[in-house]
Amino acid sequence: MKRILLIASVILSNFLQAQNFSLPKLAYSYSSLEPTIDSVTMRIHYSKHHQAYISNLNKAIGTSNTKSLTEILNSISTQSAVVRNNAGGHYNHTLFWELLSPTPSKTPSSELLNQINKQYGSLDSLQKSITMVGTSLFGSGWVWLIVTPTNELKITTTSNQDNPLMDLVVDKGTPILAIDVWEHAYYLKYQNKRADYLKNIWNVIDWKAVSDKYTSALKK
Ligand code: MN3
């Protein structure tokens, strides 16, 4: 009987620990986004910065956490600053990696393109607006394209590692495009020239990935 209880408690504790977080696999190599994003930046950004957010998040939430990352973000106002920074850091980077590709599709789905044309005139003008907004964001943060609760597109920014899923941000919605504008994302190659990084990043943004996120955001 004792043995059965022990086995049951081990199984249960493994189940409860299932919500500790780990680094997602990259779908490409560190060097494959060259020359837009250099290999050293990719390696440090992914294996050091992103890993640090995950390690700090796991440490802060403890082994008894059963909430998903989205659940944590949706109620982030009830969490500590450490959880806010690191849960945001984990979510934001996971999304960012998924949107980059060495062989990106350069055209959105017709569904997304129609909405872009309706609201921004053209894909080119949307990209220019995102570049401009990201360039003028003061300090460290992210520029987003989100789907609002009324299914409109909106370009927004957040500071530090905040994101549009957090209950305490002004512009809430489902992110379909995320661009990291922290200096660690571009400084080795672009130094202080954030605008050049943002102009070039479109070379590796995969509009197929953005479009897929748009379709699932609409279903929510
Ligand atoms: Mn980063």
Side-chain angles (χ1 to χ4, degrees), residues 91-129:
Y91 175 88
N92 300 352
H93 288 86
T94 300
L95 177 61
F96 185 51
W97 308 137
E98 288 172 5
L99 299 170
L100 303 177
S101 168
T103 53
S105 163
K106 295 294 175 75
T107 25
S109 65
S110 55
E111 190 183 33
L112 176 56
L113 189 59
N114 286 342
Q115 191 63 29
I116 290 172
N117 289 341
K118 196 172 121 190
Q119 288 189 240
Y120 299 94
S122 67
L123 178 61
D124 185 56
S125 105
L126 170 75
Q127 291 184 175
K128 284 196 174 117
S129 299

Side-chain angles (χ1 to χ4, degrees), residues 166-201:
M166 292 182 172
D167 58 351
L168 41 65
V169 301
V170 178
D171 292 309
K172 284 185 265 299
T174 308
I176 62 169
L177 175 59
I179 303 175
D180 190 343
V181 294
W182 282 56
E183 281 186 347
H184 69 224
Y186 62 85
Y187 201 84
L188 292 181
K189 184 178 167 76
Y190 297 93
Q191 290 83 46
N192 59 320
K193 299 185 278 287
R194 188 195 281 179
D196 289 354
Y197 157 71
L198 285 172
K199 265 179 229 153
N200 283 326
I201 200 157

Side-chain angles (χ1 to χ4, degrees), residues 104-109 205-213:
S105 163
K106 295 294 175 75
T107 25
S109 65
I205 294 282
D206 182 21
W207 282 98
K208 164 83 170 67
V210 181
S211 301
D212 289 347
K213 294 189 186 299

Side-chain angles (χ1 to χ4, degrees), residues 9 17 35 48 54-55 63-64 79 108 133 135 141 145 150 180 184 204 208 210 218:
S9 77
Q17 282 174 25
K48 304 292 180 195
I54 294 165
S55 303
T63 48
S64 60
Q79 299 280 357
V133 170
T135 304
L145 183 64
T150 54
D180 190 343
H184 69 224
V204 291
K208 164 83 170 67
V210 181
L218 291 182

